[in-house]
Amino acid sequence: MEKKKQKTKPKRYWFWGGLFLILVGGVVWSYRSNFAAKDIKFAVAQTGTITHERKIPATYANQELPVIAPFSGTIQFIGNDGQRFRRGETLAALQQNGAAPGTKQGSAANMAITAGMGGLFFHQSDGLETIMTSDNLMSMDLQKLIAQTSVVKNTGQAVQEGEVVGKIVNNLMPTMAFLQLQSLDDLTVGKTLRLTVGNQTMNAKIMRKSENPMGVVVQFPHYVDGSASNRHQEVTWSYSPQTSGVLVPKSALWTQGEELGVFVSTEGVVHFKKVKVLDEDDQQACVDNLPSGIPVVTNPQDGLEGLIAKVKNI
């Protein structure tokens, strides 16, 4: 009898031990499932566009002619600032100090200032009209040229003899600019860059490369609006073509085995869906094989397949 009792004890231990492990495993699985479901974060896949753009400093050069006061006096401009004049047309009337109000126009005491060339007349100057030119950008030491400081001066009513009272900018000639860059990789003379200046987007041709300062001299296809009144600006360089499609956060991408994809929620159940990345930036990825509007998991992890998870307002 004692031998039979000893034989039944190990069987009981195995039975109760196995039952205990099953119960503990069920509790752990239930807890893990609930915890994982609560911990899942979602975002909605949406249609959009991946752009590759970079802000870069630009220094512009146009064909500019300073307009100089022939004597001291009071100046009265004709037309608006930035208005176009033909060569020989009157830009302003200059009355010499102390001249009689009724003095005949064109006399030494009351002179009409005329345009020396056709172009846009601006009532300001920065002292670089004859220095920052297209020819100098192509031939001079760019390090010294870019270091030249400009002092924008707006002309008042009282002017002195020899004072620059404005400038004429030939807007029929294409604008050139020096673009300051961090690298010259893949940039060659003759290549075009896609640039946006204000509301204008155009292709500018590389005319010259420079190691010091690092950058390129480009020629725009035409005169760039705003380049004469603001010589130093930032432009937007689209250095790679844009891609449109369905966008997801880059954090949603997950590699399962050898397949790249995302976890999506369909009718409250999470499952893995293989996708192909078409393009990406620092924050988002453009993928195919994914419909717009579907919730995707933004914090993927092992063990999500088949979990039931409610998608909250996102």
Side-chain angles (χ1 to χ4, degrees), residues 72-204:
S72 300
T74 303
I75 192 169
Q76 182 178 2
F77 293 110
I78 306 298
N80 299 320
D81 186 43
Q83 181 175 324
R84 179 171 176 79
F85 291 85
R86 295 187 179 89
R87 181 178 181 180
E89 288 186 327
T90 299
L91 302 173
L94 182 62
Q95 182 178 336
Q96 191 174 28
N97 293 333
T103 305
K104 183 179 179 181
Q105 185 173 359
S107 66
N110 194 0
M111 177 178 289
I113 301 177
T114 58
M117 70 175 187
L120 307 178
F121 179 53
F122 293 91
H123 309 166
Q124 64 181 38
S125 62
D126 62 4
L128 299 181
E129 287 79 14
T130 59
I131 299 174
M132 197 65 66
T133 67
S134 299
D135 289 340
N136 288 348
L137 282 181
M138 291 298 297
S139 60
M140 287 187 62
D141 183 335
L142 287 173
Q143 184 69 39
K144 294 180 179 179
L145 189 63
I146 303 302
Q148 298 293 317
T149 57
S150 59
V151 180
V152 178
K153 179 179 180 298
N154 291 294
T155 304
Q157 287 186 328
V159 298
Q160 301 299 316
E161 180 179 353
E163 179 182 348
V164 177
V165 297
K167 63 183 178 182
I168 301 175
V169 180
N170 187 352
N171 64 327
L172 300 182
M173 295 288 291
T175 298
M176 296 186 69
F178 173 75
L179 308 179
Q180 184 177 335
L181 303 173
Q182 299 297 320
S183 171
L184 297 177
D185 294 344
D186 300 324
L187 297 182
T188 57
V189 173
K191 183 178 180 179
T192 58
L193 304 181
R194 191 69 171 169
L195 303 173
T196 299
V197 184
N199 296 323
Q200 307 168 87
T201 300
M202 65 206 90
N203 291 326

Side-chain angles (χ1 to χ4, degrees), residues 12-293:
R12 291 178 180 177
Y13 290 149
W14 281 111
F15 172 77
W16 290 109
L19 182 60
F20 175 77
L21 290 176
I22 292 174
L23 292 174
V24 171
V27 171
V28 171
W29 175 259
S30 176
Y31 176 78
R32 186 204 69 82
S33 299
N34 291 333
F35 177 77
K38 293 179 181 179
D39 195 45
I40 296 176
K41 297 179 181 178
F42 291 95
V44 175
Q46 297 180 334
T47 56
T49 302
I50 297 289
T51 59
H52 302 280
E53 298 178 342
R54 187 176 299 148
K55 296 284 188 181
I56 52 176
T59 302
Y60 295 104
N62 290 291
Q63 184 183 15
E64 302 178 349
L65 177 66
V67 178
I68 300 174
F71 52 79
S72 300
T74 303
I75 192 169
Q76 182 178 2
F77 293 110
I78 306 298
N80 299 320
D81 186 43
Q83 181 175 324
R84 179 171 176 79
F85 291 85
R86 295 187 179 89
R87 181 178 181 180
E89 288 186 327
T90 299
L91 302 173
L94 182 62
Q95 182 178 336
Q96 191 174 28
N97 293 333
T103 305
K104 183 179 179 181
Q105 185 173 359
S107 66
N110 194 0
M111 177 178 289
I113 301 177
T114 58
M117 70 175 187
L120 307 178
F121 179 53
F122 293 91
H123 309 166
Q124 64 181 38
S125 62
D126 62 4
L128 299 181
E129 287 79 14
T130 59
I131 299 174
M132 197 65 66
T133 67
S134 299
D135 289 340
N136 288 348
L137 282 181
M138 291 298 297
S139 60
M140 287 187 62
D141 183 335
L142 287 173
Q143 184 69 39
K144 294 180 179 179
L145 189 63
I146 303 302
Q148 298 293 317
T149 57
S150 59
V151 180
V152 178
K153 179 179 180 298
N154 291 294
T155 304
Q157 287 186 328
V159 298
Q160 301 299 316
E161 180 179 353
E163 179 182 348
V164 177
V165 297
K167 63 183 178 182
I168 301 175
V169 180
N170 187 352
N171 64 327
L172 300 182
M173 295 288 291
T175 298
M176 296 186 69
F178 173 75
L179 308 179
Q180 184 177 335
L181 303 173
Q182 299 297 320
S183 171
L184 297 177
D185 294 344
D186 300 324
L187 297 182
T188 57
V189 173
K191 183 178 180 179
T192 58
L193 304 181
R194 191 69 171 169
L195 303 173
T196 299
V197 184
N199 296 323
Q200 307 168 87
T201 300
M202 65 206 90
N203 291 326
K205 184 178 180 181
I206 297 177
M207 307 297 291
R208 180 185 179 184
K209 292 174 61 176
S210 171
E211 294 285 348
N212 186 27
M214 185 168 290
V216 294
V217 175
V218 298
Q219 183 180 65
F220 291 90
H222 49 70
Y223 169 75
V224 176
D225 292 338
S227 61
S229 55
N230 188 3
R231 195 181 299 278
H232 303 284
Q233 298 183 41
E234 274 194 338
V235 301
T236 301
W237 174 28
S238 299
Y239 56 88
S240 185
Q242 63 183 26
T243 305
S244 298
V246 177
L247 307 184
V248 299
K250 286 184 68 174
S251 61
L253 298 176
W254 181 258
T255 301
Q256 184 163 288
E258 296 182 355
E259 295 183 336
L260 178 66
V262 295
F263 285 103
V264 300
S265 176
T266 304
E267 297 181 353
V269 180
V270 177
H271 64 90
F272 181 79
K273 187 171 182 61
K274 181 182 177 181
V275 299
K276 179 182 178 181
V277 176
L278 304 176
D279 201 354
E280 61 184 283
D281 59 17
D282 294 337
Q283 302 295 329
Q284 301 180 103
C286 181
V287 300
D288 69 348
N289 195 33
L290 193 69
S292 177

